[in-house]
C-alpha cells in the first residue's frame, strides 16, 4: 500500500475510534452523574455538554463570520500560487499518464475561454483543482 492509502485507512480508524471513545466518555459521564441528578437528567446534561462542545468546534473551525467572497479569494490565490509553482515536468507526466483526462481538460479550458472570457480564469483554476 502506498502512503496515501495508509493515511486514508488511518484516518478512518482514528475517526471510528474517536467516535467510540467519545461515546464511551459520554456514557461514563452520564453514569457518574446518575446517582446525583438521576439518569434522565444526567443523560440530558451530557447531551447538552456534547452539543455545546460541537457548536464551539463549529464556530472555531468553520469560522462562519468570514464572508464567502473572502474565502473564495483566499482559495483562488492559493490555487494560483500552487499552479505557478507547478513544474512543466509534472504537467508532461500528467499528459503521459492520463492522456484522455488531459485532452478533456484542454477541451474544457477552450470552452471556458470561448463561452465566458471574463470568468475563464476562475473556471480554469477550478478545472486544474479537480484534475490535480
Amino acid at each position: 500500500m502506498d502512503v496515501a492509502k495508509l493515511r486514508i485507512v488511518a484516518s478512518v480508524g482514528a475517526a471510528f475510534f474517536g467516535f467510540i471513545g467519545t461515546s464511551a466518555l459520554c456514557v461514563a459521564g452520564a453514569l457518574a452523574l446518575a446517582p446525583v441528578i438521576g439518569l434522565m437528567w444526567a443523560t440530558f446534561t451530557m447531551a447538552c455538554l456534547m452539543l455545546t462542545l460541537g457548536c464551539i468546534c463549529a464556530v472555531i473551525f468553520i469560522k462562519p463570520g468570514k464572508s464567502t467572497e473572502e474565502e473564495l479569494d483566499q482559495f483562488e490565490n492559493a490555487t494560483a500560487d500552487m499552479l505557478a509553482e507547478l513544474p512543466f515536468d509534472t504537467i508532461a507526466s500528467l499528459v503521459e499518464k492520463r492522456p484522455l483526462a488531459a485532452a478533456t481538460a484542454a477541451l474544457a479550458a477552450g470552452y471556458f475561454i470561448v463561452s465566458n472570457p471574463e470568468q475563464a480564469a476562475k473556471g480554469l483554476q477550478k478545472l486544474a483543482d479537480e484534475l490535480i
Side-chain angles (χ1 to χ4, degrees):
M1 266 186 165
D2 60 344
V3 177
K5 289 179 184 176
L6 286 175
R7 282 183 150 173
I8 291 172
V9 170
S11 299
V12 169
F16 176 73
F17 288 117
F19 178 73
I20 297 299
T22 304
S23 300
L25 187 63
C26 289
V27 169
L31 290 176
L33 287 175
V36 178
I37 58 175
L39 185 60
M40 183 183 75
W41 287 109
T43 305
F44 180 75
T45 302
M46 290 306 297
C48 288
L49 181 69
M50 287 295 140
L51 184 64
T52 303
L53 186 63
C55 289
I56 289 171
C57 287
V59 168
I60 289 172
F61 294 116
I62 296 177
K63 297 178 184 169
K66 215 179 217 185
S67 69
T68 306
E69 292 82 20
E70 184 179 341
E71 284 193 22
L72 284 176
D73 287 340
Q74 288 177 351
F75 180 72
E76 288 173 358
N77 291 338
T79 304
D81 291 343
M82 181 195 68
L83 289 176
E85 295 172 0
L86 190 64
F88 289 105
D89 294 336
T90 306
I91 295 171
S93 68
L94 182 66
V95 171
E96 288 175 8
K97 290 180 184 177
R98 299 180 183 176
L100 187 59
T104 306
L107 178 70
Y111 175 76
F112 282 136
I113 292 171
V114 170
S115 66
N116 194 356
E118 294 85 24
Q119 297 294 324
K122 286 184 182 182
L124 291 175
Q125 285 177 354
K126 288 179 185 178
L127 177 67
D129 290 339
E130 294 294 324
L131 186 61
I132 292 173

